[in-house]
Structure formats: C-alpha cells, structure tokens
Amino acid sequence: MLMLTKVFVYGTLCQGQRYHHIIAPFAKHTQKATVRGTLYDLPVGYPAMIEGDNPVKGELVELQNVPEALRLLDELEDYEPNRDTNEYERIVVKAVTERGDEVECYLYLYAPNRREWLAEHGTLVPGGDWPSFKG
C-alpha cells in the first residue's frame, strides 16, 4: 500500500493554533486548500468534520518522516486502525489547492459512532473556517 505524504488539517493543527507545534517539525510545505464536508466546533475546544458538501478551509501539509508524523497525529486524534472507539478516523480525500490542483491526502474525520453526541453538542461553523470562527 502506498503511503501518502500529505495531510489536510482544519483546526488546532493549523498554523497559529494550539497544536501546530506537533506537525511543524514534519512540515516540508504548507498551502491553503479546501475539502468538502461539514465542520462543527466542539465545546471541548477543537473542531470536528463529517461528510458533507460544504467547503471546509484548512491547510494541506506535505510531510517528511511520514510514519513518525502519522504516529503522532494518530495519537493526537485518538485514532487506531480497526478500533471502534476512535474519536476520529483517518481517511483519504481529495483537497483542492488555491491553484485548483486536486491532491489526495489524509484527513481526520469525526468517527461515525460519535455523531449523535456531535448533533447535540456541536456548533455548525459557517463558512467552514474553524480558525477564523474561533477568532
């Protein structure tokens, strides 16, 4: 299986946000991009994205030392392959860069088993830009 080298981030891992320091040592290149989904703000201080057709704004990060970067990101996002208690699932999506290029990348999607909690406690982020929403 081919390992991708890019990840799309849309919340606390973005530049200027609280957990950017985790991804920063692995970032070879970062550019603005969008994916399709629906973005929520959680009362616990970070966002959650689920499937949808709205633009979600974030950053496409090209990683170096991908296995170690993914290990740390998986830990942060509470993700383990084939575990049904994950908070997020690591999936592959297509992000669109500002130049209009489509790029396959990893993305952490809020786990399906948490959607009921999300519906009760999450706040829809208008415009799909969590860092701007949090101001």
Side-chain angles (χ1 to χ4, degrees):
M1 183 174 124
L2 181 65
M3 183 175 287
L4 298 175
T5 61
K6 295 181 174 76
V7 63
F8 179 85
V9 298
Y10 53 85
T12 61
L13 289 163
C14 290
Q15 294 176 52
Q17 299 300 313
R18 133 178 98 196
Y19 291 128
H20 180 70
H21 68 277
I22 292 172
I23 201 170
F26 301 98
K28 283 182 9 183
H29 179 72
T30 301
Q31 61 185 315
K32 292 184 185 296
T34 59
V35 296
R36 304 305 273 174
T38 302
L39 191 61
Y40 290 87
D41 178 50
L42 303 180
V44 289
Y46 50 84
M49 189 180 123
I50 62 171
E51 296 91 351
D53 200 33
N54 305 303
V56 174
K57 298 175 184 175
E59 298 170 354
L60 184 63
V61 182
E62 183 176 0
L63 301 170
Q64 55 192 358
N65 193 357
V66 176
E68 180 63 10
L70 290 178
R71 187 188 69 74
L72 290 172
L73 294 175
D74 287 351
E75 187 178 306
L76 175 69
E77 304 292 0
D78 191 22
Y79 166 75
E80 281 183 32
N82 305 312
R83 185 180 70 178
D84 51 0
T85 58
N86 288 334
E87 184 170 11
Y88 291 84
E89 297 294 334
R90 179 168 27 103
I91 64 168
V92 174
V93 298
K94 284 193 174 139
V96 180
T97 67
E98 287 186 308
R99 288 188 356 192
D101 299 325
E102 283 192 1
V103 180
E104 272 200 340
C105 59
Y106 294 118
L107 175 137
Y108 289 89
L109 192 72
Y110 207 56
N113 64 337
R114 296 177 174 261
R115 303 288 169 82
E116 190 174 313
W117 186 90
L118 178 64
E120 290 177 22
H121 302 284
T123 302
L124 187 65
V125 176
D129 186 342
W130 187 80
S132 293
F133 177 79
K134 292 309 279 183

